[in-house]
Amino acid sequence: MFSVAAVQSAFQESLVQDDDVDVKNYVLAYQELCKFCSQLGGLFGFVVSDLENKIGLLNQLVTEDELHFSTAQNMIIHETSNDLVFSGRSGSITLLRLNRGLEFIILFMSKLVYLQPNDSTRHCAQEAYSETLAKHHSWIIRHGALFAMNFLPCQKDLYNQTLGNAPVEETLDKMPEMISNASMVHERVNNLLSGYEILNIP
């Protein structure tokens, strides 16, 4: 089951130096977030599969060459210096895609905590998507994603599906810190991508 504490800890550990991000811990946090996404319903299966493929690539790159891929900054410098950004196996582009997804997850979770137990999560998911990932997707993908969100459960049922037997109140208490750490990581990665003119690649 999904653990807010595990995500919070991994994102905390991924904040290295003053402005860099440790890739292994970024991946660990995302692997936990995939557990959350996998409980959103069968229609989100393709999303989780895509995320897992991207996470797998980052893991593989770090394993093969930890010197150049251990942090986001090292990876981006290495790939931009060696014309690897558009190689088809780019860690920088993979990180860009994952970070766009992270922005959606952060905003969705931020909205979830303000709902009442029986409130539908559909609207906050659609709002979060429209404000983030939708601007990077084609009309067909946007239409499909928004349609799939119509089937999301109420807040109480969503927490039961994703958290299992974990105490909801205890989890909600940890959510603000987790969201804060995730937001700091997201901002650092975006700043690095922007500094090397990768952020706005389609």
Side-chain angles (χ1 to χ4, degrees):
M1 283 290 154
F2 169 65
S3 168
V4 170
V7 177
Q8 186 275 327
S9 176
F11 274 136
Q12 180 68 48
E13 292 297 318
S14 72
L15 295 166
V16 295
Q17 307 301 323
D18 292 327
D19 57 359
D20 208 353
V21 172
D22 179 82
V23 175
K24 281 185 178 179
N25 279 297
Y26 184 96
V27 165
L28 281 175
Y30 231 116
Q31 286 174 329
E32 197 65 31
L33 289 173
C34 277
K35 295 179 184 178
F36 173 80
C37 294
S38 70
Q39 297 299 317
L40 296 180
L43 289 171
F44 285 84
F46 73 95
V47 175
V48 174
S49 177
D50 182 57
L51 292 176
E52 288 175 341
N53 287 338
K54 288 177 169 59
I55 290 168
L57 175 58
L58 285 186
N59 257 333
Q60 191 174 359
L61 291 171
V62 175
T63 300
E64 292 173 358
D65 186 358
E66 190 163 0
L67 176 66
H68 292 116
F69 291 90
S70 60
T71 74
Q73 188 171 46
N74 287 350
M75 177 169 62
I76 294 167
I77 290 173
H78 174 67
E79 292 193 338
T80 53
S81 300
N82 293 279
D83 296 323
L84 297 172
V85 174
F86 297 103
S87 65
R89 194 171 176 266
S90 168
S92 302
I93 296 297
T94 301
L95 189 61
L96 170 68
R97 306 280 190 252
L98 286 171
N99 220 45
R100 287 173 178 171
L102 180 59
E103 184 183 21
F104 161 70
I105 294 170
I106 290 169
L107 189 55
F108 179 38
M109 288 186 168
S110 298
K111 292 175 180 291
L112 273 181
V113 297
Y114 292 105
L115 296 179
Q116 296 300 311
N118 292 317
D119 286 347
S120 171
T121 61
R122 169 172 58 106
H123 296 298
C124 63
Q126 290 173 334
E127 287 173 3
Y129 175 77
S130 296
E131 293 174 36
T132 58
L133 279 174
K135 57 192 174 187
H136 305 293
H137 289 164
S138 66
W139 180 87
I140 292 175
I141 294 176
R142 289 198 305 272
H143 183 75
L146 290 169
F147 176 76
M149 291 172 195
N150 283 322
F151 300 94
L152 288 174
C154 66
Q155 188 216 51
K156 177 180 65 179
D157 290 344
L158 180 62
Y159 284 150
N160 287 337
Q161 287 174 205
T162 56
L163 301 175
N165 296 323
V168 173
E169 289 302 322
E170 183 180 322
T171 297
L172 289 177
D173 288 342
K174 295 175 182 175
M175 285 279 277
E177 187 175 4
M178 184 273 282
I179 291 169
S180 175
N181 285 342
S183 297
M184 284 190 282
V185 170
H186 176 266
E187 183 179 11
R188 284 192 183 192
V189 171
N190 268 9
N191 287 341
L192 289 166
L193 293 168
S194 178
Y196 290 88
E197 300 182 350
I198 297 173
L199 184 62
N200 294 318
I201 291 175

